[in-house]
Amino acid sequence: MPPGPFVASDPKVIVLLDGKSFPVLFDLTKVEKKDLFTGTYMPSTNLTGGYRILSYLDPSEPKHEKLKNLIFFLLKSRSNNVIPQFHSNYTDLFDSLDIELSKNGKASFSGNDQTAFTFLCRAFYGTDPKDTSLGSDGPSLVQKWVLFNLSPELSLGLPKFIEDPILHTFRLPSIFVKSDYKRLYDFFYGSAGFVLEEAERQGISRDEACHNILFATCFNTFGGVKIFFPALMKWIGGPGNKELHSRLAQEIRSAVKSNGGEVTIATMEEMPLMKSVVYETFRIDPPVPLQYAKAKQDMVIENHENSFQVKKGEMLFGFQPFATKDPKIFERAEEFVGDRFLGEEGEKLLKYVLWSNGPETESPSVRNKQCPGKDFVVLVSRLLVVEMFLRYDSFEVEATKSALGYDLNFISLAKATS
């Protein structure tokens, strides 16, 4: 795996190729996760204030529990703000899409970046970045900083003879993003006082806490939404899905109407098709497809056909679609099947949906490396589908692959007629 030897001390990995072998990556009795978030290399801590951030800590390390509990505290304390802020911010985005489509015949979903960043800042911290010195620069600053973190393994679509020496052989110097990162840090330090106070009560310095909530908000959550929301629209808005749209619109509007016109978590539990569609997108197009772990001991790993000896210290690597498109687990594994997870038999397949660095049927805790924002990301993904079909009967998109997900255009947005 990239990067090369000047960045990674050992680029060799053992690849897990199916849904049976893949879950060993989550078994912390057999593997460790220290400094493996990005794989065979770890970005310089100069990019994160000199700290090893939560994502790079193994659960056996004492700070892992404190920092993960801090993220849980943030999510829980601001949970009542999520649905109203999502509705407000994404209504504005849909309004702009309608205007752009009527003018140009198509509308770019690129505004999702600014909308998502503003939504997260208002929902989590009660602050609109446009009202601060950060202005509307947040998404571009985050994107540049993420590039410096991930450049050793990213492909930007350039010829190999350019990408390999520039991106995959040497680290990009962190000094070039230092002032951008400082602007982000100052915004979070000024907006997240209640989280920093809780951190001090837990024995974490305000400085370390701020770098961690910046990473959790910008890299983990904003980065995930930036990639996954266009993917969700691509798969739902693909050709031949008009019947699926009709079923979604009917289910969503009926559930909302029967609950007094309100969108709540309980209301969305009455939308099994909508939930299935979101899970199916996580299955077929996971936002973070690469997972790594290092063997703690000599062991034998089984796949569907064979058994393999792995030595202590060897690096295990999983490209998630190898597992989530395993044809021995999923019928029509390469196809988007919106109602795949309906019913009792469908729900049994959820344990094979692994986007959150763990099975969908399990929950993040301080004892594992499952994404602490797992339930939040599922919630906002469901909200996007609900908001779309409360507003539109159907839509069509054009999508092209990019370095981070898809470039997406809406070419049709049919307003709701009932």
Side-chain angles (χ1 to χ4, degrees), residues 51 62-63 65-67 69-70 195-209:
Y51 297 100
K63 273 194 175 173
E65 180 174 353
K66 289 184 177 181
L67 290 170
N69 273 332
L70 186 66
V195 188
L196 306 184
E197 290 169 8
E198 175 65 18
E200 286 188 315
R201 285 192 288 270
Q202 300 299 327
I204 308 166
S205 74
R206 294 174 77 96
D207 185 55
E208 183 171 11

Side-chain angles (χ1 to χ4, degrees), residues 1 22 45 47 50 94 131 136 138 161 174 182 217 254 258 261 264 267 271 311 319 321 373 387 407 416:
M1 290 292 291
F22 199 94
T45 55
L47 292 164
F94 296 147
D131 297 333
S136 58
F161 69 87
S174 61
K182 181 66 163 55
T217 306
S254 175
S258 65
T264 65
T267 304
M271 305 175 187
K311 299 295 185 183
F319 178 64
E387 293 286 349
D407 292 326

Side-chain angles (χ1 to χ4, degrees), residues 22 24 78 209 307 314:
F22 199 94
V24 73
R78 299 291 296 179
S307 300
E314 289 186 311

Side-chain angles (χ1 to χ4, degrees), residues 393-414:
D393 281 341
S394 188
F395 62 92
E396 296 178 61
V397 299
E398 293 176 338
T400 55
K401 200 75 175 144
S402 67
L404 291 172
Y406 298 97
D407 292 326
L408 189 88
N409 288 305
F410 288 92
I411 55 175
S412 169
L413 287 166

Side-chain angles (χ1 to χ4, degrees), residues 265-277:
I265 292 175
T267 304
M268 288 188 287
E269 287 300 318
E270 299 175 16
M271 305 175 187
L273 179 61
M274 177 277 293
K275 291 162 60 180
S276 176
V277 162

Side-chain angles (χ1 to χ4, degrees), residues 88-393:
S88 172
N89 284 275
Y90 276 84
T91 295
D92 291 344
L93 176 61
F94 296 147
D95 287 345
S96 68
L97 290 174
D98 288 339
I99 294 169
E100 185 180 348
L101 186 66
S102 65
K103 285 183 178 178
N104 304 324
K106 66 179 180 178
S108 171
F109 196 51
S110 59
N112 176 61
D113 287 6
Q114 188 68 60
T115 300
F117 188 79
T118 301
F119 155 65
L120 292 171
C121 292
R122 288 173 64 176
F124 286 163
Y125 309 107
T127 302
D128 190 329
K130 296 189 187 71
D131 297 333
T132 72
S133 59
L134 189 61
S136 58
D137 295 339
S140 60
L141 298 179
V142 172
Q143 190 158 322
K144 182 179 176 183
W145 170 65
V146 168
L147 171 64
F148 275 65
N149 278 270
L150 297 182
S151 61
E153 63 181 8
L154 275 184
S155 174
L156 301 180
L158 302 172
K160 288 285 187 186
F161 69 87
I162 296 176
E163 282 195 342
D164 282 345
I166 294 176
L167 297 180
H168 302 156
T169 307
F170 302 99
R171 297 175 187 267
L172 297 178
S174 61
I175 189 70
F176 293 129
V177 77
K178 184 176 181 180
S179 62
D180 297 328
Y181 183 77
K182 181 66 163 55
R183 288 185 65 196
L184 290 168
Y185 176 90
D186 288 345
F187 169 77
F188 285 98
Y189 198 89
S191 302
F194 73 101
V195 188
L196 306 184
E197 290 169 8
E198 175 65 18
E200 286 188 315
R201 285 192 288 270
Q202 300 299 327
I204 308 166
S205 74
R206 294 174 77 96
D207 185 55
E208 183 171 11
C210 189
H211 288 291
N212 271 275
I213 61 172
L214 187 163
F215 195 95
T217 306
C218 296
F219 195 112
N220 300 133
T221 313
F222 171 75
V225 167
K226 173 184 172 61
I227 293 170
F228 189 67
F229 276 16
L232 191 55
M233 295 294 95
K234 169 197 180 290
W235 289 103
I236 299 174
N241 281 341
K242 285 289 177 66
E243 182 187 353
L244 176 65
H245 294 179
S246 177
R247 291 169 64 196
L248 282 167
Q250 182 177 0
E251 175 187 85
I252 289 167
R253 292 170 198 173
S254 175
V256 172
K257 184 178 180 180
S258 65
N259 284 274
E262 283 194 52
V263 176
T264 65
I265 292 175
T267 304
M268 288 188 287
E269 287 300 318
E270 299 175 16
M271 305 175 187
L273 179 61
M274 177 277 293
K275 291 162 60 180
S276 176
V277 162
V278 171
Y279 287 138
E280 176 68 345
T281 309
F282 278 124
R283 179 197 72 84
I284 201 168
D285 207 346
V288 183
L290 313 182
Q291 269 95 37
Y292 295 84
K294 189 167 286 187
K296 282 183 176 179
Q297 61 205 31
D298 292 355
M299 60 177 155
V300 173
I301 299 177
E302 295 182 357
N303 67 8
H304 289 307
E305 289 85 19
N306 295 294
S307 300
F308 299 86
Q309 290 186 329
V310 172
K311 299 295 185 183
K312 179 180 178 180
E314 289 186 311
M315 182 76 85
L316 303 172
F317 163 68
F319 178 64
Q320 206 174 110
F322 287 154
T324 59
K325 295 182 184 180
D326 185 336
K328 293 194 175 181
I329 294 173
F330 294 102
E331 295 180 7
R332 299 160 61 194
E334 296 289 336
E335 297 179 38
F336 179 82
V337 181
D339 56 7
R340 184 185 298 277
F341 296 98
L342 289 183
E344 187 175 340
E345 291 304 308
E347 288 184 7
K348 289 179 181 178
L349 294 171
L350 286 175
K351 65 182 179 181
Y352 302 110
V353 177
L354 309 169
W355 71 272
S356 63
N357 203 23
E360 190 61 32
T361 50
E362 296 182 10
S363 297
S365 79
V366 296
R367 295 177 297 279
N368 63 30
K369 289 302 292 179
Q370 196 161 20
C371 172
K374 167 181 174 279
D375 293 341
F376 174 83
V377 175
V378 171
L379 170 61
V380 295
S381 300
R382 291 175 176 179
L383 284 171
L384 180 63
V385 179
V386 169
E387 293 286 349
M388 282 296 295
F389 285 100
L390 287 175
R391 186 177 179 113
Y392 304 108
D393 281 341

